[in-house]
């Protein structure tokens, strides 16, 4: 007598039935002979050991509770991507590792709450020219991020208040120049499944002004299919190789998304390396093959 193997797709309370992009995975995995179901990651009643595999998907409310999320990941016996990857990737300090390895990234000023910086000290660290972005080091998407103009006293004051508020809450802060190409070309996300490039998507600019309060755990993004350039693919592959070396991985990650922007000199730069819970935008792959490829990759990890 055979027992149907169980696959859990981890999500958040705001999306107990998964995000619309991931929902078709349930049927695909069922068609492959598995029992697949969505699971809210912080549900205390779930026995995670009862699943043959748990795949992290739309756990988009983790950032205010990162330590709790990482602790949960370490308790799940068979989790993909693995807990050590999630622990490394949920703190954007990984961008320093990429930069040290020669990967082009956006120049960043890092503010540590442990230093108890005054408003004046925060003020002196902000750019004097060009729009800039203030955001938390631990955060999802563009939530709690804002765009500011140094030439406006009001905007600069809002930026200082934003940064100080994050620091006072014990959250480390990043300050980066705003990459102006985002307003015209957007961001390009390269989706990898089991180490292979699947497809690319374009995301239009989300940051148009200061950070605003929101009870939503994530911000909705408008996406469209894109064609990645050879230069973008090369940078993305190099970034993933650095991550694999840093994490001592012995096989490709089940999923990854590398988000790139274009610098003033035309160089693709990594804005984020999404290895935790990225939208894979499977419906924007152009030929519909990515959904099946993702289901096949998951099935191969269970076998």
């Amino acid at each position: 007598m055979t027992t149907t193997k169980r696959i859990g797709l981890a999500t958040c309370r705001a999306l107990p039935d998964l995000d619309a992009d991931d929902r078709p995975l349930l049927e695909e995995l069922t068609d492959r002979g598995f029992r697949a179901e969505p699971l809210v990651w912080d549900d205390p009643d779930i026995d995670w050991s009862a699943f043959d595999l748990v795949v992290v998907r739309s756990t988009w409310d983790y950032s205010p509770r990162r330590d709790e999320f990482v602790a949960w990941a370490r308790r799940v016996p068979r989790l993909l991507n693995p807990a050590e990857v999630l622990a490394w990737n949920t703190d954007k300090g990984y961008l320093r590792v990429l930069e040290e390895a020669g990967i082009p990234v956006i120049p960043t000023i890092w503010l540590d709450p442990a230093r108890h910086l005054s408003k004046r000290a925060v003020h002196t660290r902000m750019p004097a020219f060009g729009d800039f972005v203030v955001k938390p080091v631990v955060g999802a998407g563009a939530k709690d991020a804002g765009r500011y103009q140094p030439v406006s006293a009001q905007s600069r004051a809002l930026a200082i208040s934003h940064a100080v508020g994050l620091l006072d809450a014990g959250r480390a802060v990043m300050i980066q120049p705003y990459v102006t190409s985002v307003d015209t070309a957007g961001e390009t996300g390269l989706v990898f499944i089991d180490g292979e490039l699947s497809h690319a998507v374009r995301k239009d600019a989300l940051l148009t002004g200061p950070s605003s309060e929101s009870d939503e755990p994530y911000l909705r993004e408008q996406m469209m299919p894109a064609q990645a350039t050879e230069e973008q693919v090369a940078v993305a592959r190099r970034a993933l190789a650095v991550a694999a070396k840093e994490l001592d991985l012995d096989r490709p990650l089940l999923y990854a998304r590398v988000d790139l922007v274009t610098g003033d000199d035309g160089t693709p730069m990594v804005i984020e390396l999404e290895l935790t819970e990225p939208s894979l935008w499977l419906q924007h792959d152009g030929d519909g093959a990515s959904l099946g490829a993702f289901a096949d990759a998951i099935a191969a990890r269970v076998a």
Side-chain angles (χ1 to χ4, degrees):
M1 179 177 178
T2 60
T3 302
T4 301
K5 292 189 175 182
R6 302 176 69 188
I7 299 174
L9 301 179
T11 184
C12 61
R13 292 182 183 273
L15 295 166
D17 297 318
L18 298 172
D19 181 64
D21 190 58
D22 287 319
R23 227 166 280 147
L25 267 177
L26 295 171
E27 183 176 353
E28 290 285 335
L29 292 170
T30 299
D31 289 346
R32 286 161 174 76
F34 300 101
R35 178 181 169 188
E37 55 192 290
L39 305 168
V40 175
W41 73 269
D42 58 351
D43 185 340
D45 296 327
I46 294 175
D47 177 10
W48 299 98
S49 66
F51 291 85
D52 296 280
L53 186 68
V54 176
V55 180
V56 180
R57 294 312 309 129
S58 42
T59 57
W60 295 336
D61 59 354
Y62 80 83
S63 57
R65 299 178 290 155
R66 174 181 175 264
D67 290 347
E68 180 184 345
F69 179 70
V70 172
W72 162 79
R74 288 175 171 148
R75 290 196 304 271
V76 180
R78 293 168 291 277
L79 184 71
L80 293 177
N81 284 330
E84 63 269 22
V85 175
L86 273 54
W88 183 77
N89 187 238
T90 49
D91 183 319
K92 292 185 181 65
Y94 68 77
L95 290 170
R96 297 183 182 186
V97 176
L98 298 184
E99 184 175 29
E100 290 169 0
I103 306 299
V105 300
I106 300 175
T108 303
I109 297 168
W110 306 88
L111 304 182
D112 185 347
R115 298 190 62 185
H116 303 291
L117 298 170
S118 66
K119 285 187 176 181
R120 180 174 179 79
V122 172
H123 167 79
T124 61
R125 284 162 172 77
M126 292 187 172
F129 305 98
D131 288 10
F132 61 93
V133 173
V134 175
K135 60 184 178 182
V137 171
V138 176
K143 185 172 172 58
D144 297 325
R147 175 180 173 181
Y148 302 96
Q149 298 80 40
V151 295
S152 164
Q154 180 183 16
S155 184
R156 195 172 185 87
L158 288 172
I160 294 168
S161 295
H162 180 186
V164 169
L166 290 172
L167 292 169
D168 286 347
R171 303 178 72 183
V173 172
M174 307 167 63
I175 302 174
Q176 297 177 320
Y178 184 78
V179 179
T180 56
S181 67
V182 174
D183 290 334
T184 54
E187 297 178 19
T188 302
L190 278 66
V191 175
F192 290 80
I193 296 174
D194 213 13
E196 297 297 326
L197 178 63
S198 170
H199 58 284
V201 293
R202 169 182 160 166
K203 175 173 65 177
D204 288 336
L206 280 176
L207 296 180
T208 57
S211 174
S212 58
E213 294 293 330
S214 173
D215 294 329
E216 296 296 323
Y218 55 92
L219 298 181
R220 286 288 178 185
E221 301 168 326
Q222 296 298 318
M223 310 298 292
M224 62 195 74
Q227 183 65 47
T229 66
E230 290 183 6
E231 293 80 6
Q232 288 174 326
V233 174
V235 168
R237 290 193 184 281
R238 287 171 55 205
L240 290 173
V242 170
K245 182 178 180 180
E246 179 73 13
L247 292 163
D248 195 25
L249 301 179
D250 58 2
R251 65 183 300 182
L253 294 167
L254 174 63
Y255 58 83
R257 196 184 80 208
V258 185
D259 291 345
L260 304 170
V261 294
T262 303
D264 292 340
D265 62 354
T267 300
M269 297 188 296
V270 174
I271 187 169
E272 287 191 3
L273 188 59
E274 297 274 13
L275 312 179
T276 301
E277 30 63 85
S279 292
L280 301 178
W281 303 108
L282 302 174
Q283 75 271 35
H284 292 307
D285 66 350
D287 60 7
S290 63
L291 177 62
F294 192 31
D296 285 342
I298 293 171
R301 301 293 181 112
V302 181

